[in-house]
Amino acid sequence: LLILLAAIAPRLIDLNRYKDLIVFRLERELDRRVELEDIRLTILTGLGIELNGLQIANQPGFLNEPFLKVKRCQLRFKLIPLFRRQIRIKRVVLDEPEILIERAQTGQYSIDDLFARKILTPKRTARKQVVATSLMPLNRPHPPGSSPAIATFLPQRLNIRQAKVRFIDHKVHYPQTLITTLDNLNLSFKGAKGGKVMVLDLSAEPSSQEKSYIYLKGKIIPPPAKLDFKKTTLDIEIKLNNFNPAPFSPYFMTKRA
């Protein structure tokens, strides 16, 4: 009977009535425009929600293309915190996402704003500030505060399946632009929150090189206090198969004065 109810419940409970609220929360935390086609409840595969047709805009000043475009995003929640009316993300799965990252001539990355520190809105005043916050520009600078915007959504586990990642670099070979594309990127990432050791397992195919593969496996050891990538220790093993480093030569060339 319980299995039957778990199978029927997602069809009876329409979460799309909360879609605007979810989009608003994402936009407020990320300071990015967000689009979402559909949202569904999941039970049998793990208590959580499934976001379909999710798009997160690029940072203003960069290409007018989505930073993230994903067909399906699955979020799994921890059960016990739900009884305390708290949402804790245990796992995130991205199916066939398209990810765009840029570096400007100045050296600024299009994802820098996601790692900028911001002041978190107190819970007791959140509802009163909904209208005022929604009228504020999404590209406002982050004041010094408690944590990066992206830290709000870091799960214990992150899985990315069959992704396409484009890195557009306007600096390394200026005035030319260097574009690197990775296809069929698969990522397994564990321990992304709480100052724990993070375990990384990644594979990808450079799109410009036939039958070429990149493998990364190892650990990322953050400092115990805060999420600070500048003070993070890497213990990574890299394997390359039929890999041609020539397209990446600008990154290894020493510029002469």
Side-chain angles (χ1 to χ4, degrees), residues 3 5 11 30 36 42 45 48 55 57 61 63 114 116 122 126 132 146 159 176 210 215 217 220 235 238-239:
I3 296 177
L5 290 175
R11 300 178 182 273
L30 298 176
L36 178 61
T42 62
T45 56
Q55 290 190 36
L63 285 180
L114 298 178
S146 57
N159 292 93
Q176 298 180 9
E210 186 177 357
Y215 302 95
K217 187 175 183 179
I220 301 175
D235 183 8
I238 302 176
K239 294 182 179 180

Side-chain angles (χ1 to χ4, degrees), residues 54-67:
L54 175 65
Q55 290 190 36
I56 300 177
N58 209 358
Q59 182 181 171
F62 291 87
L63 285 180
N64 188 25
E65 297 182 24
F67 151 67

Side-chain angles (χ1 to χ4, degrees), residues 199-217:
V199 180
L200 171 71
D201 194 338
L202 181 147
S203 64
E205 304 174 11
S207 62
S208 60
Q209 302 182 30
E210 186 177 357
K211 296 182 179 180
S212 177
Y213 300 92
I214 300 174
Y215 302 95
L216 283 80
K217 187 175 183 179

Side-chain angles (χ1 to χ4, degrees), residues 227-247:
L227 186 64
D228 189 344
F229 290 97
K230 293 182 179 180
K231 300 179 180 179
T232 297
T233 302
L234 301 179
D235 183 8
I236 303 293
E237 177 185 0
I238 302 176
K239 294 182 179 180
L240 305 175
N241 183 39
N242 294 327
F243 180 76
N244 179 14

Side-chain angles (χ1 to χ4, degrees), residues 123-140:
K123 293 182 180 180
R124 62 183 179 182
T125 61
R127 292 185 178 179
K128 296 180 180 180
Q129 295 183 354
V130 164
V131 176
T133 305
S134 62
L135 298 176
M136 296 177 67
L138 295 181
N139 60 341
R140 66 187 187 273

